[in-house]
Amino acid sequence: MTDTIFALATPAGRGAIAILRLSGPDTDAALTALGAGTVRARVASLRTLRQGPDVIDQALVLRFPGPGSYTGEDCAELHLHGGRAVVEAASHALVGLGLRPADPGEFTRRAFENERMDLAQAEAVADLIDAETRAQAGQALGQLEGALSQTYAGFRRDLLKALALVEAEIDFPDEELPDHLAQTAGPVLDGLSEALNAALADADRGRRVREGYRIVLIGETNAGKSALFNALVAREAAIVTPIAGTTRDVLDADLIMGGYAVTLSDTAGLRDSADPVEAEGVRRARARAQAADLRLWVRAPGDPEGDAAMFATPQDLVVWTKADLGARDPAAGGLVVSATTGEGMSDLRAAIEARLIRDLAGADFPAVTRERHRRRLIEALASVEAGRTRLGIAPELAGEDLRRAADALGRVTGAIGVEDILGEVFSTFCIGK
């Protein structure tokens, strides 16, 4: 990397401050050319920036010499006034000095390539920027501090311990080593297999925190789903009428409950219909409900146990609506609410938050926060189990299986085999990172 890059690190458009970040070997030369060549390292200094005789701006300038910088290279920040003309003038001057605009994620990619962070930590930077809840920010900060990397490093240590035993039997058959040395790796692989299975079983927790917990309202037509949806999102998001079949499509709303990101979905009433538009809405409702993390089975007083009852499961949270119009049978169970008067709504929110905590909170950091991690764990587990079955039969093949498992785990943190996944990771970043 011999070129020097720059990018706007604050949102585009008018603002009080705009920050341009620079990184690369010509950073100091660029500062000197702009009139800020006497800035001390890591000290904010006020300087008048110029392009030739023309004043660009009075700005705060910070220098971060490599390798002790974010990217590991010489870096700088120009804290400009946030007008568009100022940013454009400074950018034009930098291009004239031979710098180029950064690609998405290029600053963090350089940090990874200069060993300032591993790949899992680099992903956490993007997650932290996108975080909208305490839970998302906490998970991203834990990953940035190395919690996920330490988990995978533990998996790899156990794997390499087993691989060393297998390769010792292969490479030194004539030495005075214990008989069937490769088979002594069995207990290590059994423990590793158990740990990988546990990580995969917990895989949805990290995804739900990062992407949002999906709650879907299901029920018969006119059960009060849309009115309940509006009450939960605290706005008139869905059309509510007494006409059965008013809701024809899935309506989503993003909200925060108990510190977690939630996507709440209102759906069409579940019933057979000759109307092709309503029938398509019912199909979409069923599909969305199948993928839900939690379903609210919405029922009204006197509601028959029709199609919705056949579709419901014991894990669903039963919600009886229209409490202001009539009571439901106490033996039926569930929560009683009124979207009109607000009766029972605080209890419903508390029940949802309790389910969120049950499903998303955990003492251990999740080993999976992205689909990429889950795929690698599946590959590693399959290879570990294949190697385990071959220990006493074909140690050479078992060794190859374990090497494939190590490769899969290493790709999560970037320990090995990273070139083919760098584009996948960094293409999702914003420009200034």
Side-chain angles (χ1 to χ4, degrees):
M1 294 176 290
T2 59
D3 53 348
T4 302
I5 58 175
F6 73 94
L8 188 65
T10 47
R14 182 182 178 186
I17 299 293
I19 300 176
L20 280 174
R21 306 179 75 190
L22 290 67
S23 181
D26 294 332
T27 294
D28 287 345
L31 293 181
T32 299
L34 293 174
T38 59
V39 174
R40 291 170 55 196
R42 295 177 177 79
V43 176
S45 304
L46 182 65
R47 294 290 185 271
T48 299
L49 305 183
R50 300 175 181 272
Q51 185 178 23
D54 299 326
V55 174
I56 298 173
D57 192 19
Q58 278 196 329
L60 284 177
V61 181
L62 294 96
R63 287 180 56 245
F64 304 96
S69 67
Y70 179 75
T71 64
E73 305 172 326
D74 289 341
C75 292
E77 291 182 357
L78 308 179
H79 292 232
L80 309 163
H81 291 90
R84 184 174 298 173
V86 173
V87 175
E88 289 181 353
S91 299
H92 180 75
L94 293 173
V95 170
L97 293 172
L99 280 68
R100 68 168 177 83
D103 294 327
E106 189 168 4
F107 283 88
T108 305
R109 177 165 180 164
R110 290 188 177 202
F112 166 72
E113 292 176 340
N114 289 323
E115 299 182 352
R116 295 291 294 172
M117 61 180 67
D118 65 31
L119 203 53
Q121 291 172 304
E123 288 175 323
V125 173
D127 290 347
L128 189 57
I129 292 171
D130 292 337
E132 296 179 343
T133 68
R134 296 191 306 272
Q136 289 173 332
Q139 180 169 283
L141 283 169
Q143 187 168 330
L144 183 59
E145 292 170 356
L148 188 145
S149 303
Q150 291 168 12
T151 298
Y152 281 82
F155 292 157
R156 292 192 76 235
R157 279 195 300 270
D158 290 343
L159 186 58
L160 295 178
K161 184 188 304 181
L163 184 57
L165 294 171
V166 173
E167 291 188 338
E169 179 169 321
I170 297 170
D171 294 339
F172 305 104
D174 298 327
E175 300 294 331
E176 293 184 1
L177 296 173
D179 293 337
H180 308 296
L181 183 61
Q183 294 187 52
T184 63
V188 177
L189 293 180
D190 290 340
L192 179 58
S193 179
E194 182 178 344
L196 294 177
N197 271 305
L200 283 169
D202 192 42
D204 269 352
R205 180 162 61 96
R207 188 272 305 166
R208 289 168 175 172
V209 170
R210 179 175 174 269
E211 299 178 5
Y213 190 84
R214 298 169 298 198
I215 301 177
V216 178
L217 280 65
I218 63 169
E220 302 290 332
T221 56
N222 273 5
K225 297 185 298 300
S226 295
L228 181 60
F229 179 82
N230 288 344
L232 286 170
V233 302
R235 59 188 175 89
E236 296 295 319
I239 297 173
V240 178
T241 77
I243 301 172
T246 297
T247 303
R248 298 293 187 96
D249 203 351
V250 177
L251 183 63
D252 294 330
D254 294 328
L255 61 156
I256 297 173
M257 301 186 74
Y260 294 98
V262 168
T263 297
L264 184 68
S265 300
D266 185 24
T267 63
L270 300 179
R271 67 173 181 177
D272 291 330
S273 176
D275 184 334
V277 177
E278 184 179 2
E280 174 60 18
V282 172
R283 186 197 67 78
R284 294 185 182 189
R286 291 177 178 275
R288 184 63 62 89
Q290 291 282 15
D293 299 312
L294 171 64
R295 303 191 306 193
L296 305 185
W297 180 15
V298 182
R299 305 192 64 185
D303 186 16
E305 293 201 354
D307 290 353
M310 296 173 61
F311 190 64
T313 72
Q315 295 301 315
D316 298 341
L317 190 60
V318 179
V319 183
W320 291 89
T321 59
K322 306 180 183 181
D324 52 312
L325 299 181
R328 59 95 170 116
D329 180 3
L335 296 164
V336 181
V337 305
S338 170
T340 302
T341 67
E343 178 186 347
M345 291 301 299
S346 60
D347 291 338
L348 174 58
R349 290 190 177 91
I352 293 173
E353 290 182 10
R355 187 70 68 92
L356 286 167
I357 293 170
R358 188 198 75 179
D359 291 350
L360 302 183
D364 297 326
F365 193 86
V368 175
T369 62
R370 292 177 177 240
E371 174 62 18
R372 185 179 74 85
H373 306 160
R374 191 184 69 84
R375 293 199 308 266
R376 298 308 181 198
L377 275 181
I378 291 173
E379 292 175 16
L381 178 60
S383 295
V384 166
E385 291 181 342
R388 178 67 178 91
T389 62
R390 292 171 168 168
L391 282 180
I393 304 171
E396 296 84 357
L397 296 178
E400 186 59 32
D401 290 327
L402 300 187
R403 278 187 285 273
R404 280 196 294 268
D407 179 80
L409 293 174
R411 286 169 181 261
V412 174
T413 60
I416 52 176
V418 299
E419 286 303 322
D420 57 340
I421 56 174
L422 290 184
E424 174 188 348
V425 171
F426 293 107
S427 63
T428 62
F429 276 61
C430 58
I431 296 294
K433 274 293 180 180

